[in-house]
Amino acid sequence: MKQTKLIIGVVTLALAGCALVKTNQLSDDVLTQRTAFTLGLDKSEFTITNRQEPNKSSEVYYLVTTKSGRKFNCYVAAGFTSIVTPNSDASDAVCSEIGGSSGSSSGNSKGKACNALLKAAGKC
């Protein structure tokens, strides 16, 4: 009886594990979508280069260059995702402008995109 419960438990865990995959690769489209949202730019307004996935980790680091010449270091992290909805658990892009102020998540606090939240924080 104990062996039967053990076998059932092992099989259940094995089948549950098949529904999840550790994704180490995020598509370029996912990076572009997340970056466009974070920077408040259209996808056509920037390019992504220097993509790196150190030690086959679940994080992707990359360089973003806008058409106006601004540069950002960015990363997106991936978690466990369902086979049915790949990349649904990818984080938002986290970007810092190269040469921008420290602590700026997108570099917009000094630019034209000043919203109510940035005004309230005294960043405009």
Side-chain angles (χ1 to χ4, degrees):
M1 188 67 166
K2 288 182 182 180
Q3 286 180 336
T4 304
K5 287 183 180 179
L6 178 63
I7 291 171
I8 291 172
V10 169
V11 170
T12 302
L13 288 174
L15 291 175
C18 290
L20 297 175
V21 231
K22 178 77 167 143
T23 179
N24 286 337
Q25 291 195 346
L26 292 170
S27 70
D28 289 340
D29 190 46
V30 168
L31 293 180
T32 301
Q33 289 173 355
R34 300 297 201 270
T35 304
F37 180 80
T38 296
L39 298 179
L41 298 171
D42 186 75
K43 293 185 253 185
S44 65
E45 293 296 313
F46 62 88
T47 56
I48 293 175
T49 58
N50 199 27
R51 179 181 171 142
Q52 298 176 22
E53 296 177 51
N55 303 318
K56 296 184 180 180
S57 72
S58 60
E59 294 178 335
V60 178
Y61 296 85
Y62 54 98
L63 177 69
V64 172
T65 305
T66 66
K67 285 186 175 180
S68 65
R70 294 170 67 194
K71 293 187 180 214
F72 298 86
N73 283 317
C74 300
Y75 80 89
V76 172
F80 286 95
T81 62
S82 164
I83 293 171
V84 178
T85 55
N87 298 324
S88 64
D89 197 26
S91 71
D92 288 336
V94 177
C95 299
S96 294
E97 186 169 10
I98 298 173
S101 63
S102 63
S104 172
S105 62
S106 67
N108 284 340
S109 62
K110 295 198 307 188
K112 301 171 191 159
C114 188
N115 59 35
L117 185 58
L118 291 172
K119 286 178 185 176
K123 300 278 184 177
C124 297

